Amino acid sequence: MASINDLMDDVLLIIFWNLSCSDDRHSFGLTCHRWLRLQNIARRSLSLEFSYDIHVYQQYIRYLPRLVSRFPNLRSVVLAGCAELQDSSLLHLRLIGQTLRSLSLQCCFGITDAGIVNMSAGCPHLISVTLYRSNVTDVGIKALAESCPGLESVNLSHCTLISDAGIGALSRGCPGIRAMVLSSCRGVTGTGFRGCSSSLVFVEADSCPLTPEGVLGIVSGGGLEYLNVTGLRSWVGGDGLDGLGGGLARNLRFLNLRACRFVGNESVSAISGGCPNLEEWNLALCHEVRTPGWVAIGSNCENLRALHVSRCRNLCDLGLQSIGEGCVRLTSLYMHGCRMVTDIGMESFRRRRPEVEVRRKEYCCIGPSPDEYFLW
């Protein structure tokens, strides 16, 4: 008499993948050794649970070789928080190098260029890598770009040893790259992006020492849709961001200029006129934007849905009126601490635009995260 165990492995794997209940998936391997082997083959991701106990991470590192051997088809591995993970441990990932697509080494402080060089050589199909707060330098980044030309998303936030040379290697070596997160990379001015691919649509470079040339380099590919340069420091010779309105940033949908205190009317007017697809714009703490800038936003930003203006010292009733008379698709206005806006001005805005929700909140971030962005 035939039984379910007479089915071929391929058929049993299809049954496993179609189990909708997580409990059923977990208990699948308890049936017999064969089903356990199939369950291991079907596993696609490995993520180590967070712990405050350093001994837990030491156990993770100890058992990593056995885990990658047990699950030969892993596509995603998250080793975030393993501060004591050493370069030698990354060699074990080469066992799953042909299937591995996503790797997170967030806060793995023991990883150096040597580990990245050896790992990337054995994992050529990576498309997403997170090296947040690592000690990797341009040497490791160049090796990553050379070995993994299919990279699409890279997170190098707080990698203080990275410079424009590493960014340039990624831009040139990975023509399909779509997202770069470089928050607080003190050696990145942005010039490494010059000549980047049009596939680049998402860049977070907040708290980086960007230059005017660097900002133009970031948008030089012409495909950028999301740009975060929060906390940009001033430079000599104007506010320097008017170049964003020159045509290369026409596809921008999300722009975060929060706390760019030197940004003024010239840049805001140019951006509002040259970036017609803007949906969300954060200008909180941009004190140099005055009435002409707000008038330009009201006149040009027809697709704007959310505007952040909290603590803008020079937003007054007339500027708020201009926003209300224009920005026909606006649904959210994040606003508080604007002392030049009177109660009368605020009431007038509410009467004119009752559909706009005025929120007394201030957000550092806007729009979706990189992972969320590509699900849209």
Side-chain angles (χ1 to χ4, degrees):
M1 181 177 180
S3 72
I4 193 170
N5 281 323
D6 294 325
L7 297 175
M8 294 186 298
D9 287 354
D10 290 346
V11 176
L12 287 174
L13 282 172
I14 293 174
I15 294 173
F16 174 79
W17 284 324
N18 282 278
L19 293 174
S20 58
C21 177
S22 60
D23 289 340
D24 290 341
R25 284 174 173 261
H26 292 319
S27 60
F28 184 92
L30 300 177
T31 306
C32 62
H33 287 293
R34 180 192 176 202
W35 286 33
L36 176 62
R37 178 177 58 81
L38 292 175
Q39 183 186 50
N40 293 339
I41 291 174
R43 190 179 184 95
R44 294 292 182 263
S45 64
L46 174 66
S47 181
L48 306 183
E49 292 187 2
F50 173 79
S51 175
Y52 288 105
D53 187 349
I54 190 174
H55 300 293
V56 171
Y57 286 106
Q58 290 173 344
Q59 292 298 311
Y60 287 159
I61 296 170
R62 177 184 174 186
Y63 287 107
L64 181 61
R66 294 177 60 180
L67 289 172
V68 295
S69 296
R70 178 178 174 179
F71 308 122
N73 294 316
L74 290 174
R75 295 176 61 88
S76 173
V77 173
V78 178
L79 303 177
C82 288
E84 296 187 4
L85 188 72
Q86 299 299 310
D87 291 334
S88 57
S89 296
L90 294 186
L91 290 173
H92 301 298
L93 296 179
R94 300 179 67 156
L95 295 174
I96 54 173
Q98 294 305 307
T99 62
L100 190 61
R101 299 293 184 270
S102 177
L103 175 64
S104 175
L105 298 174
Q106 178 174 323
C107 296
C108 294
F109 307 125
I111 299 302
T112 68
D113 291 331
I116 297 300
V117 170
N118 291 325
M119 178 278 298
S120 60
C123 303
H125 304 299
L126 281 169
I127 60 175
S128 177
V129 174
T130 296
L131 296 173
Y132 177 92
R133 289 191 183 276
S134 76
N135 292 311
V136 176
T137 73
D138 291 334
V139 174
I141 298 304
K142 289 178 181 178
L144 186 65
E146 291 173 0
S147 298
C148 308
L151 276 174
E152 296 181 6
S153 176
V154 179
N155 186 339
L156 301 175
S157 294
H158 297 273
C159 291
T160 57
L161 303 179
I162 301 295
S163 74
D164 290 303
I167 302 305
L170 285 171
S171 298
R172 294 187 299 270
C174 306
I177 198 158
R178 304 182 67 193
M180 284 192 181
V181 182
L182 309 169
S183 305
S184 300
C185 288
R186 297 186 304 224
V188 174
T189 68
T191 55
F193 283 97
R194 190 180 295 119
C196 63
S197 169
S198 60
S199 65
L200 185 65
V201 298
F202 189 107
V203 172
E204 285 206 356
D206 50 302
S207 302
C208 291
L210 302 177
T211 63
E213 296 77 15
V215 173
L216 290 180
I218 293 175
V219 300
S220 62
L224 200 70
E225 298 180 9
Y226 180 106
L227 177 60
N228 178 3
V229 292
T230 297
L232 195 62
R233 295 180 179 178
S234 61
W235 42 61
V236 177
D239 55 27
L241 290 181
D242 53 308
L244 288 177
L248 290 175
R250 289 187 62 83
N251 289 318
L252 265 183
R253 296 169 55 204
F254 303 92
L255 178 58
N256 194 343
L257 300 181
R258 182 181 182 274
C260 296
R261 291 176 170 82
F262 64 95
V263 170
N265 298 327
E266 181 181 356
S267 287
V268 168
S269 298
I271 293 170
S272 64
C275 303
N277 295 310
L278 273 180
E279 297 177 21
E280 185 170 3
W281 194 354
N282 192 338
L283 288 167
L285 290 163
C286 291
H287 302 314
E288 295 304 313
V289 182
R290 302 172 188 271
T291 300
W294 303 118
V295 170
I297 290 174
S299 300
N300 298 318
C301 296
E302 296 182 354
N303 291 309
L304 199 64
R305 299 179 184 276
L307 179 62
H308 303 247
V309 298
S310 294
R311 294 191 282 171
C312 286
R313 294 175 183 170
N314 288 300
L315 174 62
C316 61
D317 288 351
L318 182 56
L320 187 61
Q321 177 183 333
S322 299
I323 294 170
E325 291 176 347
C327 301
V328 293
R329 290 183 173 84
L330 192 69
T331 58
S332 298
L333 180 65
Y334 297 86
M335 175 179 169
H336 76 88
C338 299
R339 298 180 180 179
M340 292 185 66
V341 175
T342 66
D343 291 341
I344 295 176
M346 192 72 251
E347 182 60 26
S348 176
F349 177 85
R350 292 182 186 276
R351 288 178 177 274
R352 181 182 297 273
R353 300 295 299 273
E355 79 282 8
V356 177
E357 182 180 3
V358 180
R359 304 184 180 185
R360 295 183 58 83
K361 293 182 179 180
E362 185 174 335
Y363 294 97
C364 296
C365 300
I366 65 171
S369 68
D371 292 338
E372 294 171 334
Y373 193 85
F374 297 124
L375 291 176
W376 282 28

